[in-house]
């Protein structure tokens, strides 16, 4: 969530410096003005603020987000150093607080790009694709056929050393 100061610090340490982060998230605001405005770019903060109006909390009537939002599938690599997995967990909690059905999948040892770039390139069984298909179908189904490798592992391993994600 962009309003999470830990995330701002995390990105700053990764080279996405505060001023640039604030510029991206707040259309040019900087300094203390950006710090105050970050919550407007945060889905977690927006859900927190709407409370009962979103269908969650003690007011949770039949109107609101819980009855208009479809179920949500959040997928995240557990070894993601670009966007910490805690961000998905925080978003899932905020959605649940608004009454939205959320399914979370965390892929052990996977980085930011492994589930949707590296794994499909390497071929084999694609856990992310299988989870998406099962989620859309509403059932845990049979494993999908293994995919062919698109590139040799050596090339993929070299590329992974160069990609900052």
């Amino acid at each position: 969530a962009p309003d999470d100061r830990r995330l701002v610090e995390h990105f700053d340490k990764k080279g996405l410096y505060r001023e640039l982060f604030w510029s991206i998230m707040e259309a040019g605001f900087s300094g203390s003005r950006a710090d105050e405005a970050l919550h407007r770019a945060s889905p977690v903060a927006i859900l927190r603020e709407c409370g009962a109006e979103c269908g969650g909390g003690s007011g949770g009537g039949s109107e609101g987000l819980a009855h208009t939002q479809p179920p949500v599938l959040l997928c995240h690599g557990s070894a993601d150093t670009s966007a910490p997995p805690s961000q998905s967990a925080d978003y899932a909690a905020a959605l649940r607080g608004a009454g939205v059905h959320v399914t979370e999948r965390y892929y052990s040892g996977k980085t930011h790009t492994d589930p949707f770039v590296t794994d499909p390139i390497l071929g084999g069984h694609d856990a992310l694709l299988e989870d998406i298909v099962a989620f859309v179908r509403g059932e845990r189904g049979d494993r999908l056929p293994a995919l062919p490798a698109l590139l040799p592992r050596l090339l993929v391993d070299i590329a992974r050393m160069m990609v900052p994600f």
Side-chain angles (χ1 to χ4, degrees):
D3 70 321
D4 186 340
R5 296 294 302 158
R6 295 171 302 165
L7 186 61
V8 176
E9 296 301 320
H10 171 81
F11 284 133
D12 186 67
K13 288 177 186 170
K14 299 287 286 179
L16 180 60
Y17 302 115
R18 285 179 194 85
E19 291 297 321
L20 181 57
F21 180 87
W22 286 330
S23 180
I24 291 168
M25 299 313 260
E26 294 303 321
F29 292 139
S30 62
S32 64
R33 193 165 176 211
D35 204 30
E36 293 170 15
L38 279 176
H39 71 279
R40 289 182 297 172
S42 168
V44 172
I46 292 166
L47 285 167
R48 265 191 244 121
E49 288 176 9
C50 75
E53 294 174 27
C54 291
S58 59
S62 62
E63 310 295 320
L65 185 63
H67 298 281
T68 60
Q69 176 68 35
V72 174
L73 172 64
L74 297 176
C75 301
H76 212 119
S78 68
D80 188 338
T81 59
S82 298
S86 62
Q87 295 297 305
S88 284
D90 291 348
Y91 187 44
L95 284 166
R96 285 189 186 101
V100 176
H101 175 76
V102 180
T103 300
E104 296 173 77
R105 294 283 183 260
Y106 296 91
Y107 302 98
S108 181
K110 301 295 181 179
T111 67
H112 190 71
T113 57
D114 284 346
F116 63 93
V117 176
T118 308
D119 291 349
I121 289 172
L122 288 173
H125 287 282
D126 187 331
L128 175 63
L129 181 59
E130 289 178 353
D131 284 343
I132 291 170
V133 169
F135 182 79
V136 169
R137 289 181 178 166
E139 59 190 43
R140 209 58 208 164
D142 295 330
R143 288 184 78 163
L144 299 174
L147 301 171
L150 301 175
L151 291 172
R153 178 171 279 286
L154 176 63
L155 291 178
V156 174
D157 289 344
I158 292 169
R160 287 184 82 196
M161 288 188 282
M162 304 299 169
V163 174
F165 305 108

